Amino acid sequence: MAILTDYLGHKAHFHSPSPGQNEKLMAEWAAEPNPNIKASIKAKIVESNMKLVFKVAGEYYSNISMNDLVQEGALGMLKGIESGRYDQSKSAFSTWA
């Protein structure tokens, strides 16, 4: 439950993305050549969407541990970022998460 404890302890720091924020950050990430800056942008995207991951994980929490669900959701979100398909559909990114 370390992930859940960390999340609850830092919940005030997680803010839902404003309309268009994901698209803006994804476009910045895709255009950025510097790997260090790119990693920083990716971290911002992940942090701003952790509420979504926990919301979806909570819907499936029964016989699978919450830690496993959140980890899978975070990995899915990273795959969504790497896919770069943020502009194809408004729901494409959240589908990965």
Side-chain angles (χ1 to χ4, degrees), residues 54-97:
F54 274 90
K55 180 181 179 203
V56 172
E59 293 174 11
Y60 292 94
Y61 178 62
S62 59
N63 55 353
I64 301 173
S65 80
M66 188 66 155
N67 275 346
D68 288 343
L69 291 168
V70 170
Q71 287 176 1
E72 287 297 319
L75 289 173
M77 190 176 353
L78 292 171
K79 286 181 183 179
I81 294 168
E82 293 288 334
S83 77
R85 293 188 284 170
Y86 63 92
D87 58 349
Q88 290 182 357
S89 155
K90 294 223 184 261
S91 63
F93 181 76
S94 62
T95 299
W96 283 98

Side-chain angles (χ1 to χ4, degrees), residues 5-39:
T5 305
D6 286 348
Y7 171 74
L8 293 174
H10 297 94
K11 191 173 183 178
H13 300 289
F14 294 116
H15 304 286
S16 296
S18 59
Q21 182 182 11
N22 277 338
E23 290 81 6
K24 180 181 174 235
L25 287 171
M26 290 292 291
E28 287 177 23
W29 179 84
E32 181 57 55
N34 184 325
N36 293 330
I37 296 173
K38 205 167 188 157

